[in-house]
Amino acid sequence: MLKSNKVLKMPDGFLWGTATAAHQVEGNNINSDWWQWEQKNVGKILDVKEKKFRNKKFEPSGLACDHYSRFEEDFKLIEELGNNAHRLSIEWARIEAEEGKLNLAELEHYRQVLESLKNKKIKVMLTLNHFTLPSWLADKGGWTNFKSPFYFNRYATFVAKNLGHLVDFWITINEPEIYMDMSYMSGFWPPQKKDIKLAGWVYFNMARAHKKVYKNIHKILDKKGHKTQVGFSMNVMSFASYRKHNFWELFFVHAADRIVNHSFYDLTKKSHDFLGVNYYFRVRLKKNEGSLIPAVDEVHEDESELSDMGWVVYSHGIFDVLMDFKDFNLPIYITENGIATEDEDQRAKFISNHLAEIHHAIQAGVDVRGYFYWSLLDNFEWDKSFGPKFGLVAVDRKKKTRKPKESFYAYQKICQTNTVRPVA
Ligand code: FCB
């Protein structure tokens, strides 16, 4: 664990950015499955995993942060932060609101968005699928549909052909394992299924889709001589046993690590130019002594520091997972890392200490090339609505005006100086 508070220098050319997702910030994503689901749940008390946000009436995304019309203003904030990169997503439900009809007006909108970043010399990391689907595809079973990789590839081809010259990095799919779990196993997110078989199909089809689109983007853009890099973002957790030598705890730690952190990569081998790592927390597993079959539970409550999501704050965990991924021999980008809190000191400390651990991993030989804080703005956090505050910038819920928080300036200092100082 890092204790010193000396100034640590990040490698030259390191990418500094923030990450967002279309549905969470743009507003009025009316042709998506999430929008449809939200309308059915307005004002309801949803079954939400995270304690602090339970028993609250669900508020739909609506205009969200109105980033769709205010992207210029938001990109000025990014410039002010001293960022040289930005991760955002393009919305499939806009580009292809109706099956097979590619929408030129929406394409033009995204052209303006990406050009605005390019004009500011900001590198673009574009996600093609960040949880949401066009409603027409959801009606056909979404990712459970055997043809879903074909549909995804059709949309991705259109985007790559028309906007590819404006994109530096592609994230095909964001967090396949989280999507599969939340939508098809634990059933919190649309279509709220709890069906292991369907979950398997989702994962399998997402892997097929990633591989197909990886090849295809290269085929389209390599021919044009445009250097491009394609990967996906995985949500990695730092797993640990509650007790050092407990056999079952260690067994489950290993199994969880293989399934959550490695399986999608294993299914899509040789189809990555880099690894996109989303890291938020550590999970400690404790044997459930009352259970007849070997089982473990997550230990949360006796951990020292939690975020508003109830996630365990553990900066050293990012070092652990990065060391694990070193063996993949691929460049790594931290495509998301952030904290939901209303305490600005806690957020600034979170960022500095995670970056110090990333620096530590780089010293140990891991090829980490960039960091994207989640998120630029306080936004629509899925089934938790606007409750969790992940943003560096507050957004007035009614007027949509932006106000940088203290952590905005703390992160700005890091990006502008390319250095970080861990906080005790
Ligand atoms: C990640 C998601 C992102 C956001 C953060 C808090 O798992 O990719 O959309 O919800 O968590």
Side-chain angles (χ1 to χ4, degrees):
M1 203 126 357
L2 293 170
K3 279 269 180 281
S4 92
N5 71 346
K6 75 171 195 222
V7 175
L8 308 170
K9 189 178 173 318
M10 300 302 275
D12 291 337
F14 195 76
L15 293 189
W16 293 108
T18 60
T20 61
H23 188 78
Q24 293 178 269
V25 292
E26 285 181 351
N28 282 335
N29 188 17
I30 58 172
N31 294 307
S32 67
D33 58 343
W34 264 86
W35 183 274
Q36 311 295 337
W37 181 80
E38 289 168 29
Q39 308 318 305
K40 285 187 248 151
N41 289 306
V42 181
K44 284 195 190 156
I45 307 282
L46 299 183
D47 180 17
V48 165
K49 216 179 189 176
E50 295 76 6
K51 247 197 215 155
K52 188 167 177 187
F53 304 107
R54 285 184 201 151
N55 300 318
K56 305 245 183 327
K57 286 190 179 160
F58 179 75
E59 192 190 335
S61 56
L63 209 50
C65 307
D66 195 21
H67 176 73
Y68 190 86
S69 357
R70 291 174 181 251
F71 67 88
E72 268 302 345
E73 187 183 342
D74 292 336
F75 295 166
K76 287 212 180 94
L77 287 167
I78 287 170
E79 260 191 321
E80 208 183 314
L81 267 176
N83 283 179
N84 51 8
H86 182 54
R87 176 177 173 218
L88 74 169
S89 75
I90 183 162
E91 185 53 60
W92 188 357
R94 289 188 197 277
I95 294 289
E96 194 181 358
E98 274 180 74
E99 182 177 355
K101 287 199 186 143
L102 297 161
N103 189 319
L104 295 179
E106 293 291 359
L107 182 76
E108 184 48 35
H109 167 77
Y110 284 111
R111 186 193 310 282
Q112 285 172 20
V113 169
L114 301 183
E115 272 173 0
S116 165
L117 288 169
K118 285 277 131 191
N119 291 338
K120 295 179 177 56
K121 308 243 174 317
I122 291 175
K123 290 225 187 290
V124 172
M125 183 176 274
L126 189 69
T127 309
L128 286 165
N129 175 249
H130 198 122
F131 300 151
T132 48
L133 290 176
S135 303
W136 62 261
L137 179 55
D139 293 343
K140 283 175 180 275
W143 286 110
T144 66
N145 187 319
F146 194 73
K147 280 182 77 183
S148 53
F150 159 81
Y151 298 129
F152 185 55
N153 189 43
R154 181 173 61 188
Y155 146 71
T157 304
F158 182 69
V159 177
K161 278 193 174 154
N162 289 285
L163 303 177
H165 60 292
L166 299 168
V167 178
D168 301 282
F169 303 91
W170 300 84
I171 300 287
T172 53
I173 301 175
N174 180 67
E175 299 184 349
E177 73 289 10
I178 297 294
Y179 177 80
M180 171 186 70
D181 172 26
M182 295 297 275
S183 294
Y184 285 89
M185 281 170 72
S186 39
F188 290 104
W189 292 356
Q192 293 192 293
K193 303 273 188 222
K194 292 183 182 179
D195 184 327
I196 186 99
K197 248 200 195 139
L198 288 181
W201 275 112
V202 165
Y203 214 46
F204 174 65
N205 286 332
M206 282 181 146
R208 288 172 59 223
H210 170 83
K211 288 201 281 192
K212 215 176 172 60
V213 167
Y214 174 88
K215 265 201 210 127
N216 199 29
I217 291 181
H218 273 297
K219 202 166 116 201
I220 296 165
L221 295 172
D222 292 354
K223 227 180 14 212
K224 295 187 180 169
H226 182 77
K227 280 213 179 83
T228 201
Q229 296 189 48
V230 187
F232 76 103
S233 278
M234 50 187 169
N235 185 305
V236 298
M237 297 167 198
S238 170
F239 291 101
S241 64
Y242 189 59
R243 288 163 294 182
K244 211 171 168 187
H245 299 295
N246 184 283
F247 173 80
W248 282 112
E249 286 173 6
L250 290 171
F251 171 82
F252 279 103
V253 162
H254 184 73
D257 178 58
R258 293 307 314 173
I259 296 167
V260 178
N261 295 344
H262 288 255
S263 60
F264 198 78
Y265 177 81
D266 290 342
L267 283 172
T268 52
K269 271 207 178 114
K270 298 201 184 115
S271 311
H272 317 95
D273 302 321
F274 63 90
L275 285 179
V277 168
N278 296 354
Y279 174 81
Y280 286 93
F281 53 82
R282 161 164 91 163
V283 177
R284 281 171 87 201
L285 300 176
K286 183 178 180 184
K287 182 159 188 289
N288 179 333
E289 303 295 348
S291 166
L292 292 176
I293 49 160
V296 283
D297 297 319
E298 250 180 80
V299 184
H300 256 181
E301 275 66 20
D302 58 349
E303 294 276 4
S304 49
E305 191 185 347
L306 301 179
S307 74
D308 285 353
M309 298 287 268
W311 294 350
V312 175
V313 175
Y314 185 63
S315 55
H316 189 62
I318 201 166
F319 174 80
D320 285 343
V321 297
L322 288 173
M323 288 305 283
D324 180 29
F325 293 148
K326 186 179 170 200
D327 297 345
F328 290 169
N329 282 321
L330 285 170
I332 298 178
Y333 294 89
I334 308 302
T335 41
E336 285 180 32
N337 174 239
I339 181 168
T341 180
E342 305 207 20
D343 174 344
E344 283 305 283
D345 288 339
Q346 191 188 18
R347 190 188 323 279
K349 184 174 166 191
F350 179 98
I351 297 175
S352 296
N353 289 352
H354 281 75
L355 280 165
E357 294 288 353
I358 293 167
H359 179 270
H360 184 191
I362 295 171
Q363 298 308 303
V366 188
D367 187 9
V368 187
R369 300 195 184 172
Y371 176 87
F372 295 80
Y373 177 77
W374 181 275
S375 185
L376 178 66
L377 308 170
D378 283 341
N379 59 36
F380 175 76
E381 179 54 36
W382 309 112
D383 52 341
K384 271 82 62 190
S385 277
F386 294 92
K389 308 287 184 220
F390 278 95
L392 298 172
V393 177
V395 179
D396 183 278
R397 291 284 315 112
K398 281 214 180 88
K399 295 190 221 126
K400 310 293 176 204
T401 43
R402 274 71 167 142
K403 192 170 185 297
K405 304 180 192 173
E406 273 173 44
S407 56
F408 177 95
Y409 298 102
Y411 188 48
Q412 178 187 57
K413 193 171 168 206
I414 293 173
C415 303
Q416 285 178 345
T417 58
N418 204 35
T419 61
V420 62
R421 188 195 283 269
V423 181

